[in-house]
Amino acid sequence: MQTRTATDTAWFTDARLGLFVHWGIYSLAARHEWVMTREKITNEDYRPYFDHFDPDLYDPRQWARDARAAGMQYAVITTKHHDGFCLFDSALTDYKATNTPGGRDLIRPFVEACRAEGLRVGFYYSLIDWHHPEFPVDGHHPRRDDLPFREAEAGRDMAKYRAYLHGQVRELLTNYGQIDVLWLDFSYSWRDWGWSKGKGADDWGAHELLEMVRDLQPNVLVNNRSEVRQDFFTPEQYQPRAWMHVDGAPVMWEACQTLNGSWGYDRDNLDWKSPGMLIRMLVDGVSKGGNLLLNVGPTARGEFDPRARATLAAVGSWMHHHARAVRGCTQAPADLPAPPDCRYTWNPKTGRLYVHLFAWPFRHLFLDGLAGKVAYAQFLHDGSEVRLGEYEDAGHYPTVRADAAVLAIPVQPPVGVEVPVLEVFLRG
Ligand code: GLC
């Protein structure tokens, strides 16, 4: 069965950078959002996190401001993660933020804050559920090794869980106005980019689910993880080597990356990526036609912790000067190979080419195929001219392609620019 897909996708590929937020009662454990199943915690033993969830410092307007200042144009939040806890006021469960000391729907103010700050809004929703009494005790379930429990629970009814799942997605797409992204997660076979072939798609009733989604919100962009092919693909914690192709055709894709390897707040984790690395990941993705969804795991009290804020601020300071080499940009034409240690991004509307310098060149930068075609070039951070240069040995010991444009690069890289970028204006 062919499922409908969204038609308005331009805003998404134009934005290129979004915020992912993983927040839930696992933020109290502060040791990864999978803590429940990694440590095989029962519902009873997980309960203290529910009973103590009181995000008194939650200020989604501040989150949205931080995201915007980082150059992000959309934000996707976990409405329910695998542990089954809902940040939204679902009529279908008691296991929700309204019943914690926090005492309210935490999704509604998030949606309002995003809209107020001009961000598009996305909902992450976990297809699997370790709390729901009808969700099977499968190989990822926290109780998987508890044989008597598994035996006692062998009669769990996926059809009942499926009705719950469909009902909650209906609530999410009915009660919060226009939703721009629906980020369904955890399909068993998404790593093969498969759809409609895993048992998951049948378990979720994915085709019916997506029919409902399209009826409720025709323009919402949906990822591929329900195992039914939808609008975009989601490589997780790695950078594709090239523009992602499925069945021989390029697809819309969005890499999701953590700041430190964990999606949920992970207090003692020291594996933080540097701002420079994250900016290079963003650029690398755009140079291959993809987006970056960069994650923050807020604390139990409802804040982005100082490390996350500092990282977002650093990304934002780069984006302040370089957004135009990212937004509305994509992979450069195939006959223009980027120089070593560089990435090209290209704006098809303006025809400008952006050269992102991942390492500082040795005085000359060779742009193959562009001899005679560079009308003007400048650094993007300060708008200072970069002139065409002479490469003195070219005549004697030619090692450079005759069709290369040569740019004269100063000895010193600019101070405080994580990834310097040249903006190249090409002749008509
Ligand atoms: C994974 C994980 C999860 C995280 C997500 C983000 O499938 O199960 O914890 O939410 O991907 O991409």
Side-chain angles (χ1 to χ4, degrees), residues 57-350:
L57 299 177
Y58 178 42
D59 178 2
R61 204 54 198 266
Q62 186 60 50
W63 295 7
R65 276 196 290 267
D66 285 355
R68 245 174 66 104
M72 297 160 162
Q73 296 197 319
Y74 62 105
V76 179
I77 188 167
T78 50
T79 56
K80 178 193 90 167
H81 204 261
H82 305 337
D83 64 3
F85 175 76
C86 299
L87 284 174
F88 65 108
D89 187 11
S90 169
L92 305 175
T93 183
D94 292 331
Y95 201 49
K96 56 184 177 183
T98 22
N99 294 332
T100 64
R104 63 211 152 108
D105 182 326
L106 298 170
I107 291 299
R108 189 169 304 285
F110 177 87
V111 171
E112 285 163 4
C114 287
R115 294 219 183 93
E117 291 295 325
L119 301 172
R120 300 258 188 170
V121 186
F123 285 165
Y124 167 111
Y125 181 84
S126 173
L127 296 163
I128 65 174
D129 192 316
W130 299 325
H131 179 267
H132 195 280
E134 300 295 345
F135 187 83
V137 185
D138 64 9
H140 292 291
H141 196 279
R143 307 295 294 277
R144 62 193 171 279
D145 292 337
D146 183 341
L147 294 184
F149 181 86
R150 264 172 56 183
E151 231 158 80
E153 297 292 323
R156 288 186 173 205
D157 184 352
M158 187 53 117
K160 288 194 185 137
Y161 172 68
R162 188 158 54 238
Y164 174 75
L165 180 170
H166 288 212
Q168 285 206 318
V169 172
R170 176 180 290 283
E171 289 182 323
L172 287 168
L173 297 185
T174 307
N175 298 341
Y176 298 90
Q178 188 192 321
I179 300 306
D180 301 295
V181 175
L182 177 63
W183 220 100
L184 299 169
D185 185 37
F186 208 75
S187 57
Y188 291 95
S189 61
W190 67 269
R191 283 174 198 278
D192 337 307
W193 311 114
W195 51 87
S196 301
K197 46 184 182 193
K199 83 175 186 32
D202 296 336
D203 286 345
W204 324 135
H207 287 282
E208 299 72 24
L209 178 69
L210 289 159
E211 280 298 305
M212 177 187 80
V213 166
R214 294 295 164 203
D215 286 343
L216 294 172
Q217 301 252 1
N219 280 321
V220 69
L221 299 185
V222 187
N223 67 351
N224 64 309
R225 291 197 187 179
S226 70
E227 298 179 18
V228 173
R229 178 154 181 193
Q230 286 291 295
D231 303 298
F232 67 99
F233 287 76
T234 56
E236 177 176 330
Q237 303 235 42
Y238 74 91
Q239 291 296 123
R241 289 279 313 267
W243 193 318
M244 298 187 75
H245 281 58
V246 173
D247 294 341
V251 294
M252 204 157 80
W253 65 272
E254 172 198 69
C256 46
Q257 293 280 1
T258 57
L259 295 183
N260 62 11
S262 174
W263 300 95
Y265 180 63
D266 196 4
R267 184 190 60 207
D268 303 333
N269 180 317
L270 295 176
D271 212 6
W272 290 80
K273 297 181 184 82
S274 68
M277 179 187 262
L278 294 165
I279 291 163
R280 290 192 300 275
M281 285 174 158
L282 166 65
V283 168
D284 180 70
V286 178
S287 80
K288 294 160 184 166
N291 282 24
L292 174 65
L293 189 64
L294 187 57
N295 181 74
V296 173
T299 69
R301 292 191 68 185
E303 289 187 314
F304 292 180
D305 83 298
R307 296 164 293 187
R309 291 197 77 192
T311 303
L312 290 188
V315 171
S317 121
W318 185 84
M319 281 293 279
H320 172 68
H321 291 118
H322 299 96
R324 88 171 182 247
V326 169
R327 290 196 194 130
C329 288
T330 187
Q331 183 168 293
D335 58 341
L336 296 181
D341 304 324
C342 296
R343 295 291 186 282
Y344 276 168
T345 60
W346 180 64
N347 185 320
K349 284 207 184 106
T350 63

